[in-house]
Amino acid sequence: MAGTFPSSPAASDVSVQSIEPTLVSTTISLKRQVRSRGGQRWLLNVSFSPMTRAEFAPIYAFSVKQKGQYETFTYVPPTISTTQGASSETPAVDDTSVVAGDTSCTIDGMTASTSNILKAGDFIKFSNHTKVYMVTDDVSSDGSGEATLNFHPSAVQAIANGSTISIASVPFNVSFQDDVREFGTNFTNLYSYEIALIEVV
């Protein structure tokens, strides 16, 4: 891994795609057969507002240092990487039986009887995983500060009991999607830059 993508200046636009390969065929009688090829990952298309040379140069230098698609690094998208709920909470896994393929677990360590600590659509990351997951149902704690967490995709590996869960500034483990690093500039002396990042698990 080769560091963390510079956080300043922040991207002006980030589009997120969920990639889940499937095999689909249609019979002559128009019956549809579909099979999941397994796996899911995120694609982030990131663009920046026009930057001065001083703002742009460190970003481009970091990008070039990645050797095209060769290196992996972390990227924290603005806004979407933090829960819509209570970002100051510190949830942890309270479950000894979460194995690869599971899509839920029990969590604790939250303020008791608090609504919407996490919201459906939030990104999360378990401390022993490089994978980023999405919360699929709102999460509210009970009187003991516990709750059930439902997420997608299914766990790529076992989740250890006691694993902390990042819910604010969630880092995506990524590489560039291609080998070309291109920028533009003109008579205004401002620089334009767009990148595509693919999750690496």
Side-chain angles (χ1 to χ4, degrees):
M1 181 175 294
T4 300
F5 195 90
S7 59
S8 180
S12 58
D13 295 283
V14 178
S15 69
V16 181
Q17 298 177 34
S18 174
I19 304 171
E20 299 195 53
T22 55
L23 296 173
V24 181
S25 63
T26 304
T27 68
I28 197 167
S29 61
L30 302 182
K31 290 184 178 180
R32 178 175 179 266
Q33 295 181 328
V34 62
R35 181 163 57 96
S36 173
R37 291 170 55 191
Q40 182 276 349
R41 57 182 178 166
W42 305 104
L43 173 64
L44 307 174
N45 290 295
V46 181
S47 58
F48 296 84
S49 296
M51 295 173 280
T52 65
R53 185 176 183 182
E55 291 171 327
F56 172 67
I59 288 177
Y60 194 63
F62 179 89
S63 299
V64 170
K65 189 169 66 174
Q66 305 313 308
K67 305 175 187 176
Q69 302 174 72
Y70 183 77
E71 297 284 2
T72 63
F73 54 95
T74 55
Y75 176 67
V76 180
T79 308
I80 62 170
S81 62
T82 296
T83 176
Q84 306 163 77
S87 60
S88 61
E89 295 286 339
T90 55
V93 176
D94 184 28
D95 200 322
T96 59
S97 59
V98 188
V99 298
D102 284 352
T103 57
S104 67
C105 64
T106 302
I107 60 176
D108 66 2
M110 299 169 291
T111 303
S113 305
T114 301
S115 298
N116 298 327
I117 291 174
L118 293 169
K119 298 281 290 179
D122 285 345
F123 291 106
I124 60 169
K125 193 172 191 178
F126 300 103
S127 59
N128 65 333
H129 282 221
T130 55
K131 182 81 185 83
V132 169
Y133 300 89
M134 178 172 280
V135 178
T136 55
D137 297 284
D138 294 349
V139 176
S140 299
S141 62
D142 63 16
S144 300
E146 298 183 345
T148 297
L149 171 65
N150 297 315
F151 56 87
H152 184 81
S154 57
V156 298
Q157 65 189 63
I159 303 173
N161 186 37
S163 295
T164 56
I165 306 170
S166 296
I167 65 173
S169 299
V170 175
F172 287 68
N173 188 53
V174 297
S175 72
F176 284 109
Q177 194 183 19
D178 57 51
D179 291 324
V180 179
R181 304 279 65 78
E182 177 182 1
F183 69 88
T185 188
N186 57 28
F187 67 92
T188 65
N189 293 323
L190 295 177
Y191 292 73
S192 61
Y193 196 47
E194 297 182 0
I195 54 177
L197 308 175
I198 188 77
E199 186 179 30
V200 178
V201 178

